[in-house]
Amino acid sequence: MNDNRLGTAVSPYLRLHADNPVDWREWGPDAFAEARARDVPVLVSIGYATCHWCHVMARESFADPEIAELLRQDFVAVKVDREERPDVDASTMAAAAAFTDQLGWPLTAFMTPDAHVFFAGTYYPPTPVGAHPAFRQVLGAVLDAWRDRRPEVHANASAIATAIRQGTAEATDDAGDGRGGDEPSLPSVDVIRGVVDALAQGEDAVHGGFGGAPKFPSAPLLEFLADVAADGDDVAVGLLERSLLVIARSELTDADGGVFRYATKRDWSVPHYERMLYDNAGLLAIAPRDQARGIADFLRDTLRRGDGAFVAAQDSESTIDGRRVEGEWYRLPLGARAQFDPPPLDDQVLTGWNGLAIRGLAIAGARHGDDEMLELARAAADAVLDTHVQDGHVVVRSSTPRGVSTAPPTIEDVGLLAEGLLELALVTGELRYATAARSLVDDGLAGALDVDPVLAASGTATGEQPQTALRSGTIALANASALLGALTGDDRHRSAAGRLVADRARTGTTRPLGHADALGVALSLQRPSQEIAVVASDAQALREFRTLAATARRPGSVVVTVTPEQARAWSDAGFSLLDGRDALDPAAYVCHDHVCALPARSTEELTAQLASS
C-alpha cells in the first residue's frame, strides 16, 4: 500500500513527488521517530523544483515500483526541498562532503535515526551508467552495512557529526554574533584589493569569466569587483566589464533578458536552462542599463506574481509535442514560444530571495533613472511585508498559493530582506521601509532564529554556509547594519557589521569564490565614510540628483533621497542624517561622519562636490 504523504505539501518540489510509488515523508521529527521504532536507516533525498537531474532521478529511480518496494520495506524515505529548507540542505551537504567532492542536486544521503549521515552521493540511475552505480546497488550496499556492520556505521556517522559540530563552533567563535566583544580584525584594503590581482590571474583570456567549465554568473563575485572598481581599481573595472559583457552576449542570457543558472561549456554555451531569481536579482545591482533592463523585464514578465512578489525560479524542462525535454522551449525564437506551454515555475515566494530582488531593482532603478524598476521593488516589498512579516519580525520563509510553509525563517531571510528594504527606503524616501529594515536588523543581531528540532537534537545544524551564487544573509545583515549606522550616527551598528563580516572576509582573501560578498563589505567598512542626503519636492529634480548621486556611489558611502516632508519624518524617527534637512529645496548634502559641506543647489554643484570629496 502506498503511503506517500506529499500530496498536501506546500513545496512544489515535494508535490512533484506526490505520485511516486515511494512512501515519502516530509522532513521532521516524526520521520526519524518512525525510523527509530522500525530500526531502519533514513533515506534523505534533497532537490528543488526546477532541477533537471532531480527530475531525471524521479522519472527513472523513484518511479520504479521495485525500488519503491525496497525503500518501503527497509528505509524511511524523506524528501526535502532545498529552497524551502536551506538549513537541512546545508547540514546534509556538509556531511556529504566526507563521501564525495562532486556535490550537487539531487543530493542523496543516508542517515541514522539520530539524523547522522553515514553515506551520501548525488544522482543514482536505476541501472549503472558510467561512473554512476545503480540505485539498487547503492541501496543494497547501505543495507548490508546497516545490518552487518552497524558499529562501524554509527562510529563513522558520529565522527562526521562531531566534525560538523566542531566546525560550526569554531566558525561561531571566530565570527561572533554582532552583539559585542573584541573589535574584529578586518583584512586591510591593500590585501582586499590584492584579491583582484589574483582573480585576474584566473581569468579565462579566451572566453571570459573565471576558470573552465562549467561557467557561472557568480553575481557576488562580480559585485565585489564592482565595489573595488568604484574604489578606483582599473584591473577590477576591466574584469567586471568583460565578465558582464560575455554574460550578456553569450547563450547564458536568453532572448527575453533572463539569465540561466550556468553554462556547461567553457565558452559559455549550452546553458543549464533553469533560471533562478537569485542569479538575476544579484546581477541587477551591477549590470549596465540595457542588461539590467532585460533582467527586470524577465522578472516582471515571468517570475512576478499578481501581488507583486517574485517566485523562486523557472524550470529547465518543458513539454514540447508531448515530450518532456530540457531547454528546447528556450531554443525557440521568442515569437514561436507562445505556441507551447512555457517551462513551469517554482512558485514559492522566498523571503530572502525577494529581499535580494528588491535590493537589485532599487539599486538599478536609482542608478539608471528607471522608475518602473522602483515600482517593481516597491510592490514586491509590500507583498512580502504583508504576508511574511509580522510585528517587525520575519515569520515566514516560504509561501505558495497552497499555503505557508512550516520551515523556519533563516538568517538569509532576515538579512537579505533587511538590506533590500533599506536600499528601497534610501531610493524612495519611504520611511516605513527603513523602520521595517531597522527592526529586522535588530532581530538578526540578536540571533533570535529558531533551529530545526531534528538538527538541534542531532547537533548538526551548521547555520548559513558560504555560497558562490547567492549573497549571504549574514553579509547582507552586516551591510544593512552599516547603512543604519551611517543614517543614525550610531557607531554600534557599524561595529556590529565589522564583527559579522571579519572572519568571512579574512577567509575570502584566499578563497574569494565563496566569500566575495564579505570582501566587498569589509572594503566599505574601511573606506572614508560618505553620506549624501538629497532633498527635493520636485520629482524631476529629485530624480536627477538621485541618479547622479547613485552613479557616484562608492564603498563606504550611503545615498538617501527624500522630499522635505520625508526628511522631517526620518529625522523624527531617529535617522539623524536628515536632521534639519528640510529647510532648502532642492539641496544635496555631501557629508563625512555627518559633517557636511555647504548644500549643493544644482546638479553641477553636486558634481563638483562629489569630484572633490
Side-chain angles (χ1 to χ4, degrees):
M1 177 181 176
N2 192 329
D3 192 24
N4 187 316
R5 304 180 188 182
L6 303 186
T8 59
V10 169
S11 157
Y13 176 63
L14 269 56
R15 292 172 74 94
L16 287 173
H17 292 79
D19 295 329
N20 291 163
V22 177
D23 286 350
W24 290 116
R25 276 90 171 110
E26 292 194 52
W27 175 276
D30 290 349
F32 288 90
E34 179 185 341
R36 192 173 296 110
R38 291 172 51 199
D39 192 31
V40 297
V42 180
L43 163 69
V44 177
S45 175
I46 303 177
Y48 54 103
T50 61
C51 164
H52 169 64
W53 285 105
C54 301
H55 298 330
V56 172
M57 190 167 177
R59 289 192 290 263
E60 292 180 345
S61 294
F62 296 137
D64 186 312
E66 293 182 6
I67 289 176
E69 182 60 26
L70 181 58
L71 290 172
R72 181 179 302 112
Q73 290 179 357
D74 297 310
F75 297 84
V76 171
V78 173
K79 178 60 73 173
V80 175
D81 182 346
R82 72 175 292 262
E83 319 296 33
E84 181 185 35
R85 298 304 308 260
D87 52 347
V88 176
D89 180 60
S91 173
T92 309
M93 194 67 78
F99 303 96
T100 176
D101 58 359
Q102 301 297 313
L103 294 171
W105 301 276
L107 180 61
T108 306
F110 297 91
M111 298 185 183
T112 69
D114 294 327
H116 293 162
V117 175
F118 64 90
F119 184 71
T122 53
Y123 161 75
Y124 292 117
T127 57
V129 177
H132 296 282
F135 195 35
R136 288 183 184 84
Q137 293 174 306
V138 173
L139 295 177
V142 167
L143 279 176
D144 286 345
W146 182 256
R147 290 167 176 166
D148 301 334
R149 301 188 301 279
R150 185 77 65 90
E152 180 182 341
V153 165
H154 279 297
N156 290 340
S158 179
I160 293 168
T162 298
I164 291 173
R165 282 194 294 270
Q166 290 175 343
T168 302
E170 290 170 1
T172 301
D173 290 343
D174 287 342
D177 59 7
R179 287 178 284 179
D182 296 336
E183 285 302 307
S185 173
L186 296 169
S188 70
V189 170
D190 288 342
V191 168
I192 293 173
R193 293 179 67 145
V195 173
V196 174
D197 296 328
L199 290 171
Q201 297 300 311
E203 185 182 20
D204 184 337
V206 177
H207 300 294
F210 303 95
K215 288 280 182 65
F216 289 82
S218 301
L221 181 65
L222 296 183
E223 183 162 353
F224 165 62
L225 291 175
D227 290 336
V228 183
D231 202 44
D233 188 297
D234 291 338
V235 175
V237 170
L239 287 172
L240 175 66
E241 290 180 349
R242 289 190 294 274
S243 296
L244 289 171
L245 186 62
V246 74
I247 290 170
R249 291 182 175 178
S250 71
E251 294 178 30
L252 199 69
T253 296
D254 189 40
D256 67 1
V259 177
F260 297 112
R261 184 163 170 255
Y262 65 88
T264 62
K265 302 296 184 182
R266 180 186 167 193
D267 64 357
W268 295 91
S269 64
V270 193
H272 192 66
Y273 284 97
E274 66 210 49
R275 301 199 284 186
M276 314 303 293
L277 175 59
Y278 59 73
D279 286 319
N280 288 274
L283 290 171
L284 260 175
I286 51 174
R289 179 190 300 271
D290 290 347
Q291 192 174 14
R293 186 63 255 176
I295 292 171
D297 289 346
F298 163 66
L299 297 187
R300 179 197 64 206
D301 298 338
T302 302
L303 297 188
R304 188 173 187 256
R305 290 198 327 188
D307 64 356
F310 297 105
V311 300
Q314 187 174 31
D315 209 324
S316 59
E317 297 186 352
S318 59
T319 302
I320 303 288
D321 294 332
R323 296 181 301 115
R324 186 76 172 176
V325 290
E326 184 193 16
E328 191 165 319
W329 187 85
Y330 296 106
R331 290 190 287 269
L332 294 170
L334 277 181
R337 292 181 184 180
Q339 302 173 37
F340 303 95
D341 290 335
L345 301 174
D346 179 341
D347 63 358
Q348 292 181 92
V349 170
L350 299 170
T351 301
W353 295 16
N354 270 263
L356 191 64
I358 294 163
R359 175 179 186 259
L361 287 164
I363 292 173
R367 180 179 296 133
H368 305 307
D370 192 316
D371 288 343
E372 191 200 21
M373 291 187 190
L374 301 183
E375 288 306 312
L376 290 172
R378 182 184 281 109
D382 292 345
V384 173
L385 286 171
D386 285 347
T387 58
H388 287 204
V389 178
Q390 183 177 344
D391 297 328
H393 310 288
V394 175
V395 294
V396 175
R397 169 170 173 79
S398 169
S399 66
T400 74
R402 296 169 298 282
V404 170
S405 169
T406 58
T410 68
I411 191 65
E412 174 182 292
D413 300 304
V414 174
L416 290 176
L417 182 60
E419 189 181 38
L421 292 174
L422 196 51
E423 290 288 359
L424 181 60
L426 295 176
V427 176
T428 64
E430 294 190 39
L431 176 63
R432 61 194 177 100
Y433 298 131
T435 55
R438 183 167 57 187
S439 178
L440 296 180
V441 168
D442 289 344
D443 260 10
L445 295 181
L449 292 169
D450 293 334
V451 177
D452 173 74
V454 175
L455 297 178
S458 68
T460 58
T462 62
E464 185 185 50
Q465 297 297 292
Q467 299 188 56
T468 58
L470 176 63
R471 186 169 176 84
S472 157
T474 300
I475 301 308
L477 177 65
N479 189 48
S481 188
L483 291 174
L484 283 174
L487 292 167
T488 63
D490 187 342
D491 287 340
R492 291 175 297 177
H493 277 116
R494 188 176 181 88
S495 295
R499 285 190 290 273
L500 286 169
V501 80
D503 180 62
R504 293 174 186 241
R506 289 195 301 271
T507 303
T509 60
T510 56
R511 288 186 283 156
L513 281 181
H515 303 271
D517 45 10
L519 290 170
V521 176
L523 176 65
S524 71
L525 289 171
Q526 296 180 88
R527 304 311 289 163
S529 70
Q530 182 187 67
E531 306 90 29
I532 303 171
V534 173
V535 184
S537 56
D538 178 75
Q540 182 62 29
L542 191 66
R543 183 183 298 106
E544 290 176 358
F545 274 107
R546 181 177 65 205
T547 301
L548 175 60
T551 303
R553 188 171 170 179
R554 56 167 176 74
S557 70
V558 59
V559 179
V560 56
T561 55
V562 292
T563 65
E565 293 78 11
Q566 289 173 331
R568 289 191 289 274
W570 280 66
S571 176
D572 291 343
F575 295 98
S576 61
L577 179 63
L578 281 305
D579 288 353
R581 303 300 180 205
D582 60 337
L584 298 177
D585 179 12
Y589 303 84
V590 179
C591 315
H592 298 279
D593 287 327
H594 286 221
V595 177
C596 306
L598 292 175
R601 304 301 306 281
S602 67
T603 55
E604 292 78 13
E605 290 181 11
L606 177 57
T607 299
Q609 287 195 15
L610 291 173
S612 62
S613 66

